[in-house]
Amino acid sequence: MPLEPDPDLGWEVTMLYDEPFFPLTVQLVAWAPGVTSPIHNHATWGVVALLSGQEKNTFWQRSPTSEFSDRIELAADLLLSPGGILCLMPDAIHQVEAIGDQPTISFNLYGETNYDQRFEFDLNRFTAKNF
Ligand SMILES: [Fe+2]
């Protein structure tokens, strides 16, 4: 069965491999056209290969102030087309948007996720919560 985004959520993850006590996960991820992810980190390394669709990745970096330790600011963006590969370092903060009129499908490989350090960032409130 082909991978398709959930019609209600607008995205879908199929876990291909998740070995307990072994630091590696493999996923196929699909996003519906026009859907944008939260701004988030993975708190581990990752390799993303886009298989179909067009995916815009926007990168953010931490820019803390004395008042807001989880403040972030825009760093860069990258347009992924089929065959494009993105490497994420553990401190990477990004946001994914499926652009174009086709769903995206990507092959994702991640190291061991430290969920205590995985966050969703709120750009307007300068806050982060576990994701
Ligand atoms: Fe991500």
Side-chain angles (χ1 to χ4, degrees), residues 32-118:
V35 175
T36 302
S37 77
I39 301 173
H40 63 278
N41 68 352
H42 288 269
T44 186
W45 59 267
V47 178
V48 177
L50 195 69
L51 303 178
S52 64
Q54 298 271 324
E55 181 181 288
K56 180 183 174 190
N57 272 260
T58 304
F59 294 95
W60 307 81
Q61 61 190 16
R62 286 187 171 277
S63 180
T65 64
S66 56
E67 194 177 358
F68 299 108
S69 60
D70 290 318
R71 182 178 178 275
I72 57 172
E73 64 183 16
L74 189 63
D77 55 42
L78 175 70
L79 182 62
L80 273 186
S81 295
I85 293 177
L86 170 67
C87 297
L88 298 169
M89 297 307 287
D91 63 349
I93 300 170
H94 78 148
Q95 182 177 34
V96 172
E97 179 180 2
I99 61 175
D101 55 7
Q102 297 296 316
T104 64
I105 299 177
S106 60
F107 174 85
N108 296 14
L109 181 62
Y110 294 105
E112 184 173 27
T113 301
N114 178 355
Y115 287 98
D116 288 346
Q117 295 299 312
R118 189 168 187 206

Side-chain angles (χ1 to χ4, degrees), residues 16-30:
L16 298 178
Y17 179 85
D18 186 5
E19 178 77 31
F21 313 112
F22 192 79
L24 191 69
T25 59
V26 185
Q27 304 170 342
L28 285 177
V29 179

